[in-house]
Amino acid sequence: MKKVIYIYLALLLVCFSACQEDDYFSSASGEKVLLSSLSFRLSDVMSKKMVLSRADADKPILTNLTLFIFSEGYKVSVVDIPQEQIKASTQGNDYDYEVTGAFEANTGENTVYALGNTSSAYYNSQTLLDELKKIESEDDFKKKLFAINQSLPVSISSIFLTGEGTIQVSGTGADAQATGTILLKRPIASIEFTVNTTATTISNNSIEFIPQTYKIYNVCQNALVISDNDIVPVVDERQYYDTQEFTTWANKYDNDNNVIAKTCQFYLPENIQSKINDIGEKEYSKRDERDPDTHEWKFAPEKSTYVVISGTYSEKDQNGTLVNQGTTSYTIHLGDFSNMGSMDNFSVERNARYQYNITVQGVTSIITEAKKETGDGDQPGAE
């Protein structure tokens, strides 16, 4: 069900005229060759279950593609591929396509960076493409940030795709061939909350919490074009904003049609953060702990993304007597603190699905279970 966008490059060499033989003659490493077609497989980790049955979660469509080909650290070529050059393959499944054009690469190892579906209102696509096409150094290309509009994406179709892969090109003429895989990802994550509406305290009091609003803080407004968690820009290079309060919640029912939880889902840009202090693996409460003097986060990075959920709270004792009632708020720092993650992980990674299951333990206390899924496999949830 979870899918990933793969581009398998199967490269066919065009015949060259006599005037081209001087340019595309040697098969030694680093010599230029001209490739005329590539095949790829299109799928998507943002499947229906990741977007709570939204209609736009059906089979993704690749409307255009721009390739940036580098060899030995420097740009070899840039190729724009319009939709009319993207055809369904006559072989394979529904996600196999063939792209035709002229792709210049070097014999030997090449790194191919790709942007797909670039006509997006989510960012200024033409400005970004123009800036990327001017970059000659691969290191500079990998450090390039793009600016995101100050509004959360409402559909998968509004998000462009980015990716990279290494190809090996050998031979020339009719013997030229290349092998390799390019993996495309969306530079966003799907965030899902399930808030259980009832719970029982240690003293057997009954709790009811009805979430009414949620607000997201430190939404990253810049991200790397190409995913690379080892190249984390310093905080000063990225800008952040806080969202409005959202009131959209859906009901979750049990078998008797009783509401047992409230759910919400939204997309967020990637926000890679480095840990600042170690947290014990079972000490969830420390993730959202503030310093009593400075009111700064004690363990969470300053610009990590967090969500504040507000709602009505009521608590009754075993006799049904109301002992506490009012409005309250709970803070949840995002990240992967599942069994496969870590309590000091505060990053939101692209092309991932984060699920948080919240149970209220008291007017100021909650427990949150986390689960993260990517195109590389599932990670079981953990408290």
Side-chain angles (χ1 to χ4, degrees), residues 182-241:
I182 295 174
L183 175 64
L184 289 180
K185 298 180 179 181
R186 300 183 190 275
I188 59 165
S190 174
I191 311 296
E192 303 167 26
F193 279 98
T194 298
V195 181
N196 299 301
T197 54
T198 59
T200 303
T201 67
I202 297 177
S203 57
N204 287 324
N205 285 357
S206 299
I207 293 174
E208 181 182 68
F209 175 71
I210 307 299
Q212 296 178 325
T213 65
Y214 63 92
K215 184 174 181 178
I216 310 162
Y217 293 81
N218 290 337
V219 178
C220 193
Q221 203 176 347
N222 308 88
L224 290 169
V225 174
I226 302 300
S227 177
D228 190 338
N229 292 356
D230 294 328
I231 306 178
V232 180
V234 296
V235 172
D236 290 343
E237 292 182 355
R238 293 181 288 179
Q239 298 176 326
Y240 298 81
Y241 70 95

Side-chain angles (χ1 to χ4, degrees), residues 32 47 60 67 69 119 132 144 156 173 190 197 204 222 235 237 256-257 266 271 273 277 297 302 320 327 330 343:
K32 291 182 179 179
S47 60
L67 300 182
I69 302 175
S119 299
L132 290 174
K144 178 64 178 176
I156 285 180
S190 174
T197 54
N204 287 324
N222 308 88
V235 172
E237 292 182 355
D256 296 321
N257 209 34
F266 49 89
N271 184 12
Q273 294 287 325
N277 287 306
W297 302 115
E302 178 188 0
T327 58
Y330 301 101
M343 280 297 170

Side-chain angles (χ1 to χ4, degrees), residues 10-235:
L11 306 140
L12 305 175
L13 196 66
V14 297
C15 296
F16 305 112
S17 64
C19 64
Q20 291 175 311
E21 289 180 355
D22 290 338
D23 293 331
Y24 306 102
F25 179 76
S26 174
S27 62
S29 179
E31 295 297 325
K32 291 182 179 179
V33 295
L34 193 62
L35 309 160
S36 63
S37 69
L38 59 87
S39 61
F40 61 93
R41 178 162 292 169
L42 178 60
S43 60
D44 201 339
V45 71
M46 299 288 183
S47 60
K48 285 185 178 179
K49 71 176 184 178
M50 294 184 63
V51 291
L52 307 184
S53 73
R54 290 182 177 176
D56 70 352
D58 292 333
K59 174 188 170 183
I61 297 175
L62 192 60
T63 59
N64 66 355
L65 193 66
T66 299
L67 300 182
F68 300 83
I69 302 175
F70 288 83
S71 178
E72 297 182 346
Y74 293 94
K75 183 172 66 181
V76 177
S77 64
V78 176
V79 185
D80 292 315
I81 305 171
Q83 189 169 18
E84 54 266 25
Q85 293 176 223
I86 303 174
K87 306 295 183 181
S89 175
T90 57
Q91 300 178 354
N93 59 35
D94 289 340
Y95 294 90
D96 288 340
Y97 294 83
E98 183 177 43
V99 171
T100 58
F103 315 107
E104 186 178 284
N106 283 354
T107 52
E109 183 175 288
N110 296 255
T111 303
V112 181
Y113 300 97
L115 272 70
N117 296 359
T118 54
S119 299
S120 168
Y122 188 48
Y123 72 116
N124 191 327
S125 58
Q126 192 55 56
T127 298
L128 175 61
L129 286 173
D130 290 344
E131 293 174 350
L132 290 174
K133 290 177 179 179
K134 295 177 182 177
I135 297 176
E136 298 295 329
S137 164
E138 185 175 1
D139 286 341
D140 292 341
F141 187 94
K142 293 169 64 176
K143 295 176 183 177
K144 178 64 178 176
L145 290 167
F146 69 92
I148 304 168
N149 297 334
Q150 262 197 34
S151 60
L152 300 184
V154 295
S155 68
I156 285 180
S157 59
S158 67
I159 310 303
F160 69 100
L161 305 162
T162 75
E164 63 179 304
T166 300
I167 62 171
Q168 293 287 340
V169 179
S170 60
T172 58
D175 296 326
Q177 58 180 342
T179 57
T181 301
I182 295 174
L183 175 64
L184 289 180
K185 298 180 179 181
R186 300 183 190 275
I188 59 165
S190 174
I191 311 296
E192 303 167 26
F193 279 98
T194 298
V195 181
N196 299 301
T197 54
T198 59
T200 303
T201 67
I202 297 177
S203 57
N204 287 324
N205 285 357
S206 299
I207 293 174
E208 181 182 68
F209 175 71
I210 307 299
Q212 296 178 325
T213 65
Y214 63 92
K215 184 174 181 178
I216 310 162
Y217 293 81
N218 290 337
V219 178
C220 193
Q221 203 176 347
N222 308 88
L224 290 169
V225 174
I226 302 300
S227 177
D228 190 338
N229 292 356
D230 294 328
I231 306 178
V232 180
V234 296
V235 172

Side-chain angles (χ1 to χ4, degrees), residues 357-378:
N357 189 301
I358 298 171
T359 301
V360 172
Q361 293 187 314
V363 69
T364 61
S365 177
I366 61 172
I367 189 68
T368 302
E369 298 175 348
K371 182 179 180 181
K372 176 189 174 186
E373 296 180 46
T374 68
D376 299 323
D378 296 350

